[in-house]
Each structure stands twice: as C-alpha cells, then as structure tokens.
Amino acid sequence: MFVVIEGIEGSGKSTLHKGLVERLSTEGRDVVVTREPGGTATGDAIRSIFLDRTLTIDPLTETFLVNAARAQHVAEVIRPALDANRLVLCDRFTDSTLAYQGYGRGLDLASLQRLCDEATGGVTADLVLLIDLPVDVARARMQARSYVLDRIESQDAAFHERVRRGYLELAKSPRHRVLDGTLAQDRLLEEAWNFISTS
Ligand code: TMP
C-alpha cells in the first residue's frame, strides 16, 4: 500500500509523518518511510538545488527537477517496496507537482500530469492524506520556528493560497482524505491512523 501525506508548508506534515511512523512501528508494520523531492542520494542532491534560495529557477525547470528526482525515487525505492508488498509512507508525491507547479506557478495541469506519469511509470498513491489549514496559520507557525525560509517557503502568501486551493481541488478524488490541520497533533494523528487502518 502506498500512502502519501500532502499539505502546504507549516501544515504539520512532518509531525504527522513522524507520529504515523512510530504508530506503524509499534503495530509491527513493515513500513518504508520516504519523502520528495529526495528519498535517494540522487534525489537528495536534486532537492538541495531545488530548495536553494540563492538560485532563480524557472517553473518548467522546477518541474523537471522534481520529476527527475521522482523517477529515481520510484525506480530505486518505491516500486521495489511495493513489489515486496511493503507499506510505503511518503512525504509528498505527484500532488505536490500539480499543486505547486500547476496551481501555484500556473503551468498546464494536463502536461504536468503526463510528465508525472512518465516519471512514476504509472505508480500512484492508494491513499493521499491532505492536511489542510489556512495559509496565515501555517505561515505564523513557520515564522515561529525562526529558521531561514527555503526558495519555495519564501514565495508570497498569494502563491501559497493558490497551492492550498489546488490541493483542495485535487482532494475531490476518492483516493484523498482531508485532515483539519488546525486540530491538536494527537487528534490529527488519530484521524490519519483511522484512514490508514480502514483503507
Ligand atoms: P518539504 O518537503 O520540506 O515541504 O519541502 C519540499 C518543498 O518542495 C515544498 O516547498 C514543496 C516543494 N515541491 C514542489 O514544489 N513540487 C514537488 O513536486 C514536490 C515534491 C515538492
């Protein structure tokens, strides 16, 4: 089973991811934990270019970068794990490309979908947990962490609003479950866990 967690920055994705990994391990589930962009040595090298705030990167270049990392990720990590019937828990996948490069940057969604399909070779998530919350709440959380924002985090609020709206559009598909990101961490974990265990 392939489970993906999605959401804007500051949505609590990483905390939920960590909580789910602990829960799955406690339950004795064989889980492969990974993320995008990244998940492989090649993907992590691409990630550091992708997030480098000193670089100016064209939206189409962004798209190729994340999909280059994704092709490697699917080939090296995700497909072998799914073939071995392992549970894969991935922080971001193709929805991020549709939300950020599509709704956020304004690239054509159908073209992005084709490129993602090429990169994944048809591997799709069985379940996507989307953590949704208002952009101003997410940004306040990020600012409270007081670290230097990366290239995407430092985009303006309008960009992040478009990404959030895009995610909500994508979440109309039956593979998606929307979680309320303003909930306390333990409630969020409980809801996510229920979705996973009943899928
Ligand atoms: P994060 O995993 O720490 O949230 O950082 C990854 C960043 O990369 C995040 O800002 C979203 C962005 N991103 C895209 O723009 N497109 C993609 O396809 C992926 C996977 C991530």
Short mmCIF file of all heavy atoms in Angstrom, two decimals, residues 69-112:
data_model
loop_
_atom_site.label_atom_id
_atom_site.label_comp_id
_atom_site.label_asym_id
_atom_site.label_seq_id
_atom_site.Cartn_x
_atom_site.Cartn_y
_atom_site.Cartn_z
N ALA A 69 14.05 13.70 -9.85
CA ALA A 69 14.22 13.08 -8.53
C ALA A 69 13.19 11.96 -8.35
O ALA A 69 13.48 10.90 -7.79
CB ALA A 69 14.04 14.14 -7.44
N ARG A 70 11.96 12.20 -8.84
CA ARG A 70 10.87 11.22 -8.67
C ARG A 70 11.13 9.94 -9.45
O ARG A 70 10.87 8.84 -8.94
CB ARG A 70 9.56 11.89 -9.12
CG ARG A 70 8.34 11.02 -9.01
CD ARG A 70 7.08 11.85 -9.17
NE ARG A 70 6.98 12.82 -8.10
CZ ARG A 70 6.61 14.11 -8.27
NH1 ARG A 70 6.29 14.56 -9.47
NH2 ARG A 70 6.55 14.91 -7.24
N ALA A 71 11.63 10.06 -10.67
CA ALA A 71 11.89 8.87 -11.49
C ALA A 71 12.89 7.97 -10.76
O ALA A 71 12.72 6.74 -10.69
CB ALA A 71 12.43 9.28 -12.86
N GLN A 72 13.92 8.59 -10.19
CA GLN A 72 14.94 7.84 -9.44
C GLN A 72 14.32 7.20 -8.20
O GLN A 72 14.58 6.04 -7.87
CB GLN A 72 16.07 8.80 -9.05
CG GLN A 72 17.25 8.14 -8.40
CD GLN A 72 18.03 7.24 -9.37
OE1 GLN A 72 18.05 7.51 -10.57
NE2 GLN A 72 18.63 6.20 -8.85
N HIS A 73 13.48 7.99 -7.53
CA HIS A 73 12.84 7.55 -6.28
C HIS A 73 11.94 6.34 -6.52
O HIS A 73 11.97 5.37 -5.76
CB HIS A 73 12.01 8.75 -5.77
CG HIS A 73 11.51 8.61 -4.39
ND1 HIS A 73 10.41 9.30 -3.95
CD2 HIS A 73 11.93 7.86 -3.34
CE1 HIS A 73 10.19 8.99 -2.68
NE2 HIS A 73 11.10 8.13 -2.29
N VAL A 74 11.14 6.40 -7.60
CA VAL A 74 10.24 5.28 -7.90
C VAL A 74 11.06 4.04 -8.25
O VAL A 74 10.80 2.94 -7.73
CB VAL A 74 9.26 5.65 -9.05
CG1 VAL A 74 8.49 4.42 -9.51
CG2 VAL A 74 8.29 6.73 -8.59
N ALA A 75 12.08 4.24 -9.10
CA ALA A 75 12.87 3.10 -9.56
C ALA A 75 13.65 2.45 -8.42
O ALA A 75 13.73 1.22 -8.32
CB ALA A 75 13.84 3.55 -10.67
N GLU A 76 14.22 3.31 -7.55
CA GLU A 76 15.16 2.78 -6.54
C GLU A 76 14.46 2.37 -5.24
O GLU A 76 14.91 1.44 -4.58
CB GLU A 76 16.19 3.90 -6.27
CG GLU A 76 17.47 3.44 -5.65
CD GLU A 76 18.45 4.61 -5.48
OE1 GLU A 76 18.65 5.40 -6.43
OE2 GLU A 76 18.99 4.73 -4.36
N VAL A 77 13.39 3.08 -4.88
CA VAL A 77 12.79 2.85 -3.55
C VAL A 77 11.33 2.40 -3.61
O VAL A 77 10.97 1.36 -3.05
CB VAL A 77 12.88 4.16 -2.70
CG1 VAL A 77 12.20 3.98 -1.35
CG2 VAL A 77 14.33 4.59 -2.53
N ILE A 78 10.49 3.18 -4.28
CA ILE A 78 9.04 2.96 -4.15
C ILE A 78 8.59 1.69 -4.85
O ILE A 78 7.92 0.84 -4.25
CB ILE A 78 8.24 4.19 -4.65
CG1 ILE A 78 8.60 5.42 -3.82
CG2 ILE A 78 6.74 3.91 -4.58
CD1 ILE A 78 7.94 6.71 -4.26
N ARG A 79 8.95 1.53 -6.11
CA ARG A 79 8.47 0.34 -6.83
C ARG A 79 8.97 -0.97 -6.19
O ARG A 79 8.16 -1.88 -5.96
CB ARG A 79 8.82 0.41 -8.32
CG ARG A 79 8.06 -0.64 -9.13
CD ARG A 79 8.54 -0.70 -10.56
NE ARG A 79 8.24 0.46 -11.36
CZ ARG A 79 7.04 0.69 -11.91
NH1 ARG A 79 6.05 -0.15 -11.72
NH2 ARG A 79 6.84 1.76 -12.65
N PRO A 80 10.28 -1.07 -5.86
CA PRO A 80 10.73 -2.31 -5.21
C PRO A 80 9.99 -2.58 -3.90
O PRO A 80 9.64 -3.73 -3.61
CB PRO A 80 12.23 -2.07 -4.95
CG PRO A 80 12.61 -1.01 -5.96
CD PRO A 80 11.41 -0.16 -6.15
N ALA A 81 9.70 -1.53 -3.12
CA ALA A 81 9.00 -1.74 -1.84
C ALA A 81 7.57 -2.22 -2.09
O ALA A 81 7.09 -3.14 -1.41
CB ALA A 81 9.00 -0.44 -1.04
N LEU A 82 6.88 -1.61 -3.05
CA LEU A 82 5.50 -2.03 -3.33
C LEU A 82 5.48 -3.44 -3.90
O LEU A 82 4.60 -4.23 -3.56
CB LEU A 82 4.83 -1.03 -4.28
CG LEU A 82 4.61 0.38 -3.73
CD1 LEU A 82 4.03 1.29 -4.80
CD2 LEU A 82 3.70 0.38 -2.50
N ASP A 83 6.46 -3.74 -4.74
CA ASP A 83 6.54 -5.11 -5.30
C ASP A 83 6.73 -6.14 -4.20
O ASP A 83 6.30 -7.29 -4.32
CB ASP A 83 7.69 -5.22 -6.31
CG ASP A 83 7.35 -4.53 -7.63
OD1 ASP A 83 6.17 -4.18 -7.83
OD2 ASP A 83 8.27 -4.33 -8.46
N ALA A 84 7.41 -5.73 -3.11
CA ALA A 84 7.63 -6.65 -1.98
C ALA A 84 6.49 -6.58 -0.96
O ALA A 84 6.62 -7.07 0.17
CB ALA A 84 8.96 -6.31 -1.32
N ASN A 85 5.38 -5.94 -1.37
CA ASN A 85 4.18 -5.80 -0.51
C ASN A 85 4.42 -5.04 0.78
O ASN A 85 3.78 -5.31 1.80
CB ASN A 85 3.60 -7.18 -0.16
CG ASN A 85 2.75 -7.67 -1.28
OD1 ASN A 85 2.09 -6.88 -1.97
ND2 ASN A 85 2.79 -8.97 -1.52
N ARG A 86 5.36 -4.11 0.74
CA ARG A 86 5.62 -3.31 1.94
C ARG A 86 4.76 -2.05 1.90
O ARG A 86 4.32 -1.63 0.82
CB ARG A 86 7.11 -2.93 1.99
CG ARG A 86 7.99 -4.16 1.96
CD ARG A 86 9.45 -3.79 2.00
NE ARG A 86 9.87 -3.36 3.31
CZ ARG A 86 11.03 -2.77 3.57
NH1 ARG A 86 11.89 -2.55 2.59
NH2 ARG A 86 11.35 -2.41 4.78
N LEU A 87 4.52 -1.48 3.08
CA LEU A 87 3.76 -0.24 3.12
C LEU A 87 4.74 0.93 2.91
O LEU A 87 5.77 0.99 3.58
CB LEU A 87 3.04 -0.11 4.47
CG LEU A 87 2.07 1.06 4.58
CD1 LEU A 87 0.83 0.62 5.34
CD2 LEU A 87 2.67 2.25 5.28
N VAL A 88 4.43 1.80 1.99
CA VAL A 88 5.29 2.96 1.74
C VAL A 88 4.58 4.22 2.23
O VAL A 88 3.44 4.48 1.83
CB VAL A 88 5.63 3.11 0.24
CG1 VAL A 88 6.47 4.36 -0.02
CG2 VAL A 88 6.34 1.85 -0.28
N LEU A 89 5.25 4.97 3.11
CA LEU A 89 4.70 6.22 3.62
C LEU A 89 5.58 7.34 3.10
O LEU A 89 6.75 7.45 3.47
CB LEU A 89 4.70 6.20 5.15
CG LEU A 89 4.04 7.39 5.84
CD1 LEU A 89 2.56 7.47 5.54
CD2 LEU A 89 4.25 7.30 7.36
N CYS A 90 5.03 8.15 2.22
CA CYS A 90 5.85 9.16 1.53
C CYS A 90 5.36 10.57 1.83
O CYS A 90 4.17 10.87 1.72
CB CYS A 90 5.79 8.87 0.03
SG CYS A 90 6.96 9.85 -0.92
N ASP A 91 6.29 11.42 2.23
CA ASP A 91 6.01 12.83 2.48
C ASP A 91 6.09 13.54 1.12
O ASP A 91 7.18 13.74 0.60
CB ASP A 91 7.10 13.33 3.45
CG ASP A 91 6.86 14.75 3.93
OD1 ASP A 91 6.13 15.50 3.26
OD2 ASP A 91 7.42 15.11 4.98
N ARG A 92 4.93 13.83 0.53
CA ARG A 92 4.76 14.46 -0.80
C ARG A 92 4.99 13.47 -1.94
O ARG A 92 5.86 12.61 -1.86
CB ARG A 92 5.71 15.64 -1.02
CG ARG A 92 5.53 16.79 -0.04
CD ARG A 92 6.32 18.02 -0.52
NE ARG A 92 6.20 19.13 0.43
CZ ARG A 92 5.14 19.92 0.53
NH1 ARG A 92 4.12 19.76 -0.28
NH2 ARG A 92 5.11 20.90 1.42
N PHE A 93 4.20 13.68 -3.02
CA PHE A 93 4.39 12.92 -4.26
C PHE A 93 3.82 13.77 -5.39
O PHE A 93 3.93 15.00 -5.33
CB PHE A 93 3.71 11.53 -4.12
CG PHE A 93 4.16 10.50 -5.13
CD1 PHE A 93 5.50 10.18 -5.28
CD2 PHE A 93 3.24 9.84 -5.94
CE1 PHE A 93 5.91 9.22 -6.21
CE2 PHE A 93 3.63 8.88 -6.87
CZ PHE A 93 4.97 8.58 -7.00
N THR A 94 3.20 13.16 -6.39
CA THR A 94 2.81 13.92 -7.60
C THR A 94 1.82 15.06 -7.33
O THR A 94 1.81 16.04 -8.06
CB THR A 94 2.21 12.97 -8.65
OG1 THR A 94 1.20 12.18 -8.02
CG2 THR A 94 3.27 12.03 -9.21
N ASP A 95 0.99 14.94 -6.30
CA ASP A 95 0.06 16.05 -6.00
C ASP A 95 0.83 17.34 -5.73
O ASP A 95 0.32 18.43 -5.99
CB ASP A 95 -0.78 15.73 -4.75
CG ASP A 95 -2.03 14.94 -5.10
OD1 ASP A 95 -2.14 14.46 -6.24
OD2 ASP A 95 -2.90 14.80 -4.21
N SER A 96 2.03 17.22 -5.16
CA SER A 96 2.82 18.43 -4.89
C SER A 96 3.15 19.13 -6.19
O SER A 96 3.13 20.37 -6.26
CB SER A 96 4.13 18.08 -4.16
OG SER A 96 3.89 17.86 -2.79
N THR A 97 3.46 18.36 -7.24
CA THR A 97 3.80 18.98 -8.52
C THR A 97 2.56 19.68 -9.10
O THR A 97 2.65 20.81 -9.61
CB THR A 97 4.31 17.91 -9.52
OG1 THR A 97 5.32 17.16 -8.87
CG2 THR A 97 4.84 18.54 -10.78
N LEU A 98 1.41 19.01 -9.02
CA LEU A 98 0.18 19.62 -9.54
C LEU A 98 -0.19 20.86 -8.73
O LEU A 98 -0.57 21.90 -9.28
CB LEU A 98 -0.96 18.60 -9.54
CG LEU A 98 -0.71 17.38 -10.43
CD1 LEU A 98 -1.76 16.30 -10.21
CD2 LEU A 98 -0.67 17.76 -11.91
N ALA A 99 -0.02 20.78 -7.41
CA ALA A 99 -0.40 21.91 -6.55
C ALA A 99 0.59 23.08 -6.69
O ALA A 99 0.16 24.23 -6.87
CB ALA A 99 -0.49 21.46 -5.10
N TYR A 100 1.90 22.79 -6.63
CA TYR A 100 2.89 23.89 -6.62
C TYR A 100 3.22 24.39 -8.02
O TYR A 100 3.18 25.59 -8.28
CB TYR A 100 4.19 23.44 -5.92
CG TYR A 100 4.07 23.40 -4.42
CD1 TYR A 100 3.48 22.30 -3.79
CD2 TYR A 100 4.52 24.44 -3.62
CE1 TYR A 100 3.35 22.25 -2.42
CE2 TYR A 100 4.40 24.40 -2.24
CZ TYR A 100 3.81 23.30 -1.64
OH TYR A 100 3.68 23.26 -0.28
N GLN A 101 3.58 23.46 -8.94
CA GLN A 101 3.96 23.92 -10.27
C GLN A 101 2.71 24.19 -11.13
O GLN A 101 2.73 25.04 -12.01
CB GLN A 101 4.87 22.88 -10.96
CG GLN A 101 6.32 22.90 -10.49
CD GLN A 101 6.53 22.52 -9.04
OE1 GLN A 101 6.06 21.47 -8.61
NE2 GLN A 101 7.21 23.37 -8.28
N GLY A 102 1.61 23.48 -10.85
CA GLY A 102 0.38 23.69 -11.60
C GLY A 102 -0.40 24.87 -11.04
O GLY A 102 -0.38 25.97 -11.59
N TYR A 103 -1.08 24.67 -9.91
CA TYR A 103 -1.90 25.74 -9.35
C TYR A 103 -1.05 26.93 -8.88
O TYR A 103 -1.42 28.07 -9.04
CB TYR A 103 -2.76 25.22 -8.21
CG TYR A 103 -3.87 24.31 -8.68
CD1 TYR A 103 -3.68 22.93 -8.76
CD2 TYR A 103 -5.11 24.82 -9.08
CE1 TYR A 103 -4.70 22.08 -9.20
CE2 TYR A 103 -6.13 23.98 -9.52
CZ TYR A 103 -5.92 22.62 -9.58
OH TYR A 103 -6.92 21.78 -10.03
N GLY A 104 0.11 26.64 -8.29
CA GLY A 104 0.95 27.72 -7.76
C GLY A 104 1.63 28.52 -8.84
O GLY A 104 1.50 29.74 -8.91
N ARG A 105 2.36 27.83 -9.73
CA ARG A 105 3.13 28.54 -10.78
C ARG A 105 2.31 28.79 -12.04
O ARG A 105 2.73 29.54 -12.91
CB ARG A 105 4.35 27.69 -11.19
CG ARG A 105 5.35 27.42 -10.11
CD ARG A 105 6.08 28.66 -9.69
NE ARG A 105 7.25 28.29 -8.90
CZ ARG A 105 7.75 29.08 -7.97
NH1 ARG A 105 7.21 30.26 -7.70
NH2 ARG A 105 8.82 28.71 -7.30
N GLY A 106 1.22 28.07 -12.21
CA GLY A 106 0.35 28.32 -13.37
C GLY A 106 0.67 27.47 -14.59
O GLY A 106 0.20 27.76 -15.69
N LEU A 107 1.45 26.40 -14.44
CA LEU A 107 1.72 25.51 -15.58
C LEU A 107 0.49 24.63 -15.86
O LEU A 107 -0.32 24.38 -14.97
CB LEU A 107 2.95 24.63 -15.31
CG LEU A 107 4.29 25.36 -15.16
CD1 LEU A 107 5.43 24.35 -15.08
CD2 LEU A 107 4.54 26.34 -16.30
N ASP A 108 0.42 24.18 -17.11
CA ASP A 108 -0.73 23.40 -17.56
C ASP A 108 -0.84 22.05 -16.82
O ASP A 108 0.12 21.26 -16.81
CB ASP A 108 -0.59 23.16 -19.07
CG ASP A 108 -1.73 22.33 -19.61
OD1 ASP A 108 -2.88 22.80 -19.55
OD2 ASP A 108 -1.45 21.20 -20.07
N LEU A 109 -1.99 21.82 -16.23
CA LEU A 109 -2.15 20.63 -15.37
C LEU A 109 -2.05 19.32 -16.16
O LEU A 109 -1.45 18.35 -15.69
CB LEU A 109 -3.50 20.68 -14.65
CG LEU A 109 -3.64 21.77 -13.59
CD1 LEU A 109 -5.06 21.83 -13.07
CD2 LEU A 109 -2.67 21.52 -12.42
N ALA A 110 -2.62 19.30 -17.37
CA ALA A 110 -2.59 18.06 -18.16
C ALA A 110 -1.16 17.72 -18.55
O ALA A 110 -0.75 16.55 -18.49
CB ALA A 110 -3.48 18.21 -19.39
N SER A 111 -0.37 18.75 -18.92
CA SER A 111 1.04 18.49 -19.28
C SER A 111 1.81 18.00 -18.07
O SER A 111 2.64 17.09 -18.17
CB SER A 111 1.72 19.76 -19.80
OG SER A 111 0.96 20.33 -20.81
N LEU A 112 1.54 18.61 -16.92
CA LEU A 112 2.24 18.18 -15.69
C LEU A 112 1.89 16.74 -15.36
O LEU A 112 2.76 15.95 -14.98
CB LEU A 112 1.85 19.07 -14.51
CG LEU A 112 2.40 20.50 -14.51
CD1 LEU A 112 1.80 21.29 -13.35
CD2 LEU A 112 3.92 20.49 -14.41
#
